[in-house]
Amino acid sequence: MRFAETGFNLEVDLSRGNIERVETDPKLTELHLGGLGTNAKILWDRVPPEVEPFSPENLLIFGTGLLAGTSAPGANRTIVSSVSPQTRLFGYSMMGGFWAPELKHAGYDKVVIRGKSSKLVYLWIHNDKVEIRDAEHLRGKGAVETSELIKQELKEPKAQVAAIGLAGENRVFFASIEQGRSSCSRLGLGAVMGDKGLKAIVVRGTKDVNVAKPLEFLEQCSGILNYIKYREERPIPGVMPILQGLGSPQEMLHVDEEWHTTNFMWGNSRTRRRDFWSKDIEEKWTGTQETARKRLISCSNCPMQCGAVISMPGQATYMMKCFSKLTYTMAAYSDLDFGFRIAQRATEYGIDGFSGPQVMAFGLELLEAGILTDADFEGMPEDNEGKFYWLLDRIVRREGIGDILADGTHWAAQRIGKGADAFAHNNIKKHEQLPLKLGMLNPVYFLMYCTGEKANITQIEGQFPQAPFPTKEEREEFNKDWIQVPDEKFKQYLMDWEFRGENSNPYYPTAEMSCDIVDWQETMHYIDDALGICAGLSSFPLKPPYHIHNYPKIISAATGMDLDEEGLKEIVRRNRNLLRAFNNRLGMTRQDERPPENHWKKRFPELEEQLLMTYYKFKGWNANGVPTTETLESLGLGYVAEDLNARGISTADDSAAAAQELVGAAS
Amino acid sequence: MKTKTVKNIRVIVDKCNGCRACEVICSAFHAQPRYSSNNPDRSRIRVIHEPLRNIFVPIYAGEYTPAECAGRNTYTIDGKDYDECAFCRAACPSRGLFKEPDSGLPLSCDMCESDPTLTKPKCVEWCLNDALIYETREEPVLEDEVGRQQELQQGLAALVDKHGMKDLLDIVARMSSRD
């Protein structure tokens, strides 16, 4: 018997209409856990770099986390992987909700989609019965609407549906996959789904998911719940409200938006409005939110309430979470009423709430700058909000200017030319980022922005505080019950970190310390994404219930694997290097590893170079950010090194040469 | 008068966040061996949820009933329409709720009775949003003999319904002849 996992994947070939239930190799679980790790393994083995994102050979993998469907709180993530049409790199996107546990109960760990259907179809998985069904009648329907229609048509109200809207059907590069409560929004995987002619995957499962050591596992899970209670009663003092607790930032709960609206950028990530927030606005927005919000809601088996049922008068009800509450509002210099209203339409169309609004604001900026002309926007209404609705409609239908904007700011700028690329200014690896521009370079975030394979780092994430505490007492207080640190040295890093002087950003934490901190943050993300645990209970907030010390026990109890901290870290390193190698094979080099030029006002080219090189070395990568043969071989990834070398991608340890180059550049 | 302790779960629907942790832990608790597996479809508590209508109603399994009820009402509460079934705890033929997915046999909440006794049922313990509150109250009991007879009759009625009177009588006859 397999524990925690089911031991079976569904392989679906949409070109041939073939469906197979394939037993997986238990050895792969020991090597990669599940979720992101095994997704990456499948992509490495089966999607060579010649494969275009929109080709039948590209795979679209819906992988459940290893712990999904067990009692582990917050184990609900579906990790969707493919080659992203936007970055043309590993599409590393995820969603919470209820879909992953349902798939486990249906008896599968993953659904691996290949090929392309000539007609629009949906996949209906009901335990052992799996069929490809016609979806032509759902063409053009909203993602939420589709989900409801399919559940009615199948008479299966308990089915879980992951669906695309018009944006996915029309291969918009920032199309999402919507699942009601949650969405897989980043990196345009909805477009890959649309390209495959797949409107939705519908799942209903009624089978057991087993764990190896029931009592030990239950004890660990109860411990997690107890710690959540403990943390809820003890918000972290001295940090802003959204960083005090667990979960993703509690945007659906909080109505005070002074911090976001006066610190984040408006428009195409352009303007900071320091004086925006006022009593009047607070009153009005509070009214809007309290009217719209019908209930705070959660994902499967998680007590945090990061989402909400939103109902705006005169509009269909939908569900929202986190920061999409403000992205439309701020891109359009509008108000919260507009934000909630347009998000309803955008959710039905299925687009990414980070990229979408920025793309629209980018289009309007180009018009203002004379790079695009009125002729490109013929028929656009005069009023500000009207412009955004109009643009949204054009983009998801790929009509006129919408067809160009639908490729996202980077590719749109390439197509438009005339200096438009200067306006696509908020990207990492061609992917739109959080609208945030800051003053002083932070070395830890610099590294995370540059090297994160997710191409999507928010400025607030991680278990290490994002800013120093002002006083020694506060630092001591914070350190007192900081059980999550992998090593006591992190407490010292925090103790010595100052706002000003020698021990402050950008030179402190030092390059070596920054490597340690980034490695810790990243390790947690890679564990979460393999297990399907929500980052909101682990890698994202300060002092979370899941950490490096309890994870090995939880995984061992669930799976029966014999695992300690070192063993777990080794799996993380293996997954991390496999993902990196996959991207290197697709052409990613050091040149791609940079934050938006204007992310920080104060930049330090020499220091940044030093940070990057120190980090590469720390990771066992060469000066081009490619894992060395030695690194790969030590992780049992010799076959990866061979492939990279055969393709002429050097895995030689050239750090000495690079250091030389660095010295040369500095002198 | 003799009394008995009646255990009750108060359900505060306004506090339900729809996470279904109650289903997860109930199925784990009742797994054999205990906590060895999860399957919400084996859970004795289910959250009736229609998020787009803002309907979230956790209900825990009550008695088995052989027949559908005759008329089913719609209740409108705070502008939302609830089918009467949304509040009904019965395992009944009109719906798939509270039936073992393999055998189709009815499931019933036992308040997690176990040895050693838990301070509260698992679903209540795992509901950190306090949508489920465990309560006990004292109620007068029927005379022992009457109560016992009633219980027996109820149990037999369920068996008759499932297997038919004939089979049941045959088996009873066979069992008594063996004694």
Side-chain angles (χ1 to χ4, degrees), chain B residues 53-162:
Chain B
R53 296 208 294 132
N54 189 22
I55 284 177
F56 295 81
V57 186
I59 50 169
Y60 59 104
E63 294 310 309
Y64 161 77
T65 168
E68 296 185 37
C69 45
R72 255 171 265 156
N73 299 316
T74 300
Y75 292 89
T76 304
I77 304 168
D78 280 344
K80 287 181 280 182
D81 289 342
Y82 293 83
D83 192 279
E84 190 173 347
C85 294
F87 304 113
C88 178
R89 296 175 45 214
C92 101
S94 72
R95 60 180 183 182
L97 215 58
F98 303 135
K99 283 172 194 150
E100 274 282 351
D102 308 329
S103 63
L105 286 170
L107 294 162
S108 174
C109 170
D110 59 2
M111 293 283 165
C112 295
E113 269 174 22
S114 62
D115 186 22
T117 314
L118 304 178
T119 51
K120 49 180 141 174
K122 276 285 164 190
C123 58
V124 175
E125 183 192 329
W126 274 53
C127 182
L128 297 200
N129 288 301
D130 298 331
L132 305 175
I133 308 289
Y134 180 57
E135 295 173 336
T136 55
R137 62 172 190 273
E138 294 300 310
E139 266 187 9
V141 280
L142 295 169
E143 285 303 313
D144 273 3
E145 189 52 21
V146 180
R148 203 179 60 82
Q149 294 259 347
Q150 268 185 1
E151 205 175 295
L152 181 60
Q153 187 172 344
Q154 226 170 23
L156 284 172
L159 288 173
V160 169
D161 182 67
K162 181 150 180 63

Side-chain angles (χ1 to χ4, degrees), chain A residues 69-71 98 105 144 148 158 160 204-211 214-215 218 221 225 294-295 297-303 305 309 317 319, chain B residues 13-21 24-25 28 34-42 46 49 51-52 54 56 80 97 101 122 125-126 128-129:
Chain A
T70 71
S71 297
F98 295 83
H105 291 302
V144 181
E148 293 305 299
K158 290 199 196 103
Q160 299 297 335
R204 177 79 179 102
T206 59
K207 299 188 194 181
D208 298 347
V209 172
N210 302 299
V211 294
L215 290 175
L218 194 270
C221 295
L225 274 191
K294 301 304 170 199
R295 182 186 300 256
I297 53 170
S298 307
C299 294
S300 177
N301 193 21
C302 177
Q305 307 183 71
V309 177
T317 303
M319 289 172 268
Chain B
V13 291
D14 286 343
K15 287 192 176 178
C16 178
N17 59 331
C19 75
R20 301 170 57 197
V24 171
I25 196 61
R34 197 148 272 179
Y35 305 118
S36 61
S37 68
N38 289 83
N39 186 352
D41 273 77
R42 294 190 202 284
R46 299 305 299 264
H49 57 287
L52 296 177
N54 189 22
F56 295 81
K80 287 181 280 182
L97 215 58
K122 276 285 164 190
E125 183 192 329
W126 274 53
L128 297 200
N129 288 301

Side-chain angles (χ1 to χ4, degrees), chain A residues 217-267:
Chain A
F217 184 63
L218 194 270
E219 192 187 325
Q220 290 293 336
C221 295
S222 301
I224 297 293
L225 274 191
N226 287 334
Y227 193 81
I228 292 172
K229 273 193 269 188
Y230 169 90
R231 270 291 275 112
E232 288 294 281
E233 286 157 11
R234 288 170 188 76
I236 310 254
V239 297
M240 65 182 104
I242 58 164
L243 296 179
Q244 288 170 359
L246 300 172
S248 71
Q250 301 292 296
E251 282 302 296
M252 297 297 105
L253 174 69
H254 295 305
V255 288
D256 179 354
E257 288 296 352
E258 177 167 10
W259 186 76
H260 277 126
T261 56
T262 61
N263 282 288
F264 280 49
M265 296 298 183
W266 293 68

